[in-house]
Amino acid sequence: MGRHQTLVQSLVGPLTLTGTEEALTKIAFGDRREGEDTPSLLLEQAARELEEYFAGKRQEFTAPLAPEGTEFQRKVWAALREIPYGTTVSYKDIAVRIGKPGAAIAVGQANSRNPIPIIIPCHRVIGTSGKLVGYTGGMHIKEALLALEGIR
């Protein structure tokens, strides 16, 4: 099971995709490649789906994912994948969905550690007040992704 990586250009700048033959494991903002590109069919699929998303032609992703994290983080990330395109929810909403209504702060921490942003749409999570709050890639990227989806 080898590790593969490739760089793709996007509306929000370069994205480094990393994965195995079986699943995408990471998307990093910027050029975070280590050594030469080692493309794979899976990374080609993920890159094509991202290109379609940024062109406004895709609202759901089908590439297999394998984000690495704790059981709690994986529950949060699974809940994020259920947020429909073009909508937002609060950290509290996600906490309730995973059966931990008092865990909004922990949800925010898990959100900030999402290894596969965009495809696991952590950009769709906002503060309870409706305000945009932190984003690992930077607020300008969160704003651009929300604008692409017609939210802001």
Side-chain angles (χ1 to χ4, degrees):
M1 177 169 79
R3 183 179 153 287
H4 298 273
Q5 67 177 0
T6 194
L7 186 72
V8 297
Q9 297 302 322
S10 78
L11 175 76
V12 295
L15 301 170
T16 303
L17 309 184
T18 306
T20 65
E21 291 291 333
E22 293 81 28
L24 183 67
T25 58
K26 186 173 186 178
I27 295 177
F29 294 103
D31 186 346
R32 303 283 189 258
R33 292 175 294 176
E34 298 173 9
E36 297 294 316
D37 276 7
T38 50
S40 69
L41 291 175
L42 176 85
L43 292 184
E44 289 174 17
Q45 175 188 354
R48 183 175 54 257
E49 289 183 6
L50 284 165
E51 180 180 313
E52 292 167 356
Y53 168 79
F54 286 115
K57 297 177 181 174
R58 174 176 291 277
Q59 296 184 359
E60 295 180 16
F61 295 91
T62 61
L65 308 180
E68 294 180 14
T70 67
E71 182 180 343
F72 178 81
Q73 289 170 332
R74 288 190 310 272
K75 282 183 183 179
V76 170
W77 301 334
L80 296 178
R81 292 205 67 199
E82 295 174 9
I83 304 168
Y85 179 94
T87 63
T88 58
V89 300
S90 71
Y91 295 101
K92 183 177 180 180
D93 294 333
I94 295 295
V96 168
R97 285 184 191 186
I98 64 167
K100 304 277 187 187
I105 292 172
V107 165
Q109 292 169 340
N111 208 41
S112 72
R113 289 179 177 87
N114 173 11
I116 310 175
I118 304 169
I119 292 178
I120 298 177
C122 53
H123 61 277
R124 295 179 188 151
V125 183
I126 60 175
T128 305
S129 67
K131 291 186 179 183
L132 297 185
V133 291
Y135 190 68
T136 301
M139 289 301 289
H140 65 290
I141 292 177
K142 184 171 189 160
E143 291 168 350
L145 294 172
L146 294 175
L148 174 69
E149 295 185 19
I151 297 172
R152 298 232 176 220

